[in-house]
Amino acid sequence: METATNADLRKGFLAQDLFRTGEVRGVYTHDDRLVVGGAVPGVGQLELPAWDVLGTPTHLTRRELGIVNVGEPGHVLVDNEKFELRHLDGLFVGRGSEVVFAGPDAAFYFVSAPAHATYPTVQLSHAAVEPVKLGSPEGANERSLYRYAWGQELQTAVLQFGVTVIADGSVWNTCPPHLHDRRTEVYLYVDLDEKDRVFHFMGRPGAARHLVMANREAVISPPWSIHSGVGTGSYAFIWAMGGENNEYTDLTPVPLEDL
């Protein structure tokens, strides 16, 4: 990590070009064996693929799924049951289900993780989730944390995910940063203007590096890495985690002086 070039870091940890009209695209990482992907149906419908890397007849044969719509309204069919999703609405899908994406202007982000148990599908309206207020204007890190699946209320096997929206005038997310040795986390940055970027910091405390990220790009943060970023304009990000422990507060704070 410390001796890698910036190109090496981008190749190893950055997921780009996930959203192409008429396609489902994904990245498989051996870090807690998460799959990170995007589905943009366009005028048709798209099925969630059973890529060869999974070694199963369907994508969710042994996995569970979190979905967030980062585009305009669309819908997801789960075993032929229709779930309407507006911008930043979420959906948790339990193990064993068949999933189809639809909506001409929708863009669905998803993360799947291995699951040892099956839990019911649950629709998660962004407007209905009470946000946790974090940070302050003085620290330039004021933000609203929307917890969709976080180890309480909604049962999952291992998956956690939600959305954090940075307040107007603030730029930092997850600052001060932290570690969670028992979970891998993925950030997808969304709702950035075309001209804006997020400088995402990762690596071990005391030896952090950065990636410059554009709208709808995702970064994989292994358990040994901090994850924090600063934007040049307004933005939000979708966080998703999977690992040994799905207790949300299982983390280790990293003081700024340790960076």
Side-chain angles (χ1 to χ4, degrees):
M1 179 75 183
E2 294 180 46
T3 59
T5 66
N6 194 257
D8 291 334
L9 295 180
R10 293 177 71 85
K11 182 179 179 180
F13 298 100
L14 186 63
Q16 298 176 288
D17 203 21
L18 291 175
F19 300 92
R20 286 189 187 178
T21 302
E23 297 184 35
V24 182
R25 299 174 62 82
V27 171
Y28 180 95
T29 173
H30 284 90
D31 289 298
D32 285 299
R33 301 192 179 274
L34 299 179
V35 172
V36 180
V40 186
V43 296
Q45 293 186 336
L46 295 172
E47 296 181 359
L48 181 65
W51 287 300
D52 290 344
V53 68
L54 302 179
T56 53
T58 69
H59 190 110
L60 298 184
T61 299
R62 294 196 299 264
R63 288 176 165 265
E64 60 186 8
L65 185 72
I67 301 170
V68 177
N69 184 7
V70 299
E72 296 301 314
H75 67 266
V76 178
L77 299 174
V78 180
D79 297 330
N80 292 320
E81 183 179 357
K82 187 176 182 180
F83 295 90
E84 299 280 357
L85 299 183
R86 295 184 177 275
H87 186 66
L88 296 185
D89 283 353
L91 185 70
F92 169 76
V93 183
R95 185 181 65 172
S97 297
E98 296 281 353
V99 175
V100 176
F101 303 98
D105 298 311
F108 299 99
Y109 173 65
F110 62 86
V111 177
S112 72
H116 63 276
T118 303
Y119 294 104
T121 295
V122 177
Q123 188 166 1
L124 302 153
S125 168
H126 181 71
V129 175
E130 183 68 28
V132 178
K133 300 296 185 179
L134 300 171
S136 67
E138 295 80 9
N141 64 349
E142 186 180 11
R143 57 202 189 274
S144 297
L145 172 69
Y146 294 83
R147 297 178 295 191
Y148 290 176
W150 57 291
Q152 298 185 31
E153 299 174 11
L154 170 62
Q155 280 193 301
T156 67
V158 299
L159 193 61
Q160 297 183 43
F161 68 100
V163 178
T164 298
V165 179
I166 311 303
D168 289 342
S170 285
V171 292
W172 284 97
N173 67 71
T174 320
C175 187
H178 57 256
L179 300 168
H180 26 69
D181 289 339
R182 286 162 287 278
R183 293 195 299 269
T184 295
E185 185 160 11
V186 181
Y187 277 14
L188 178 83
Y189 288 104
V190 297
D191 293 349
L192 280 79
D193 286 341
E194 185 177 349
K195 62 180 176 59
D196 286 320
R197 295 293 185 269
V198 170
F199 288 70
H200 181 90
F201 297 94
M202 63 177 302
R204 299 183 188 279
R209 304 285 298 280
H210 76 274
L211 298 174
V212 181
M213 300 178 56
N215 188 44
R216 294 187 181 178
E217 293 184 342
V219 58
I220 298 164
S221 181
W224 44 264
S225 176
I226 65 166
H227 33 281
S228 180
V230 57
T232 63
S234 62
Y235 67 99
F237 68 96
I238 299 165
W239 46 270
M241 294 181 278
E244 185 177 32
N245 189 342
N246 65 355
E247 186 173 332
Y248 185 78
T249 55
D250 180 19
L251 54 83
T252 303
V254 178
L256 290 179
E257 55 267 28
D258 289 349
L259 298 180

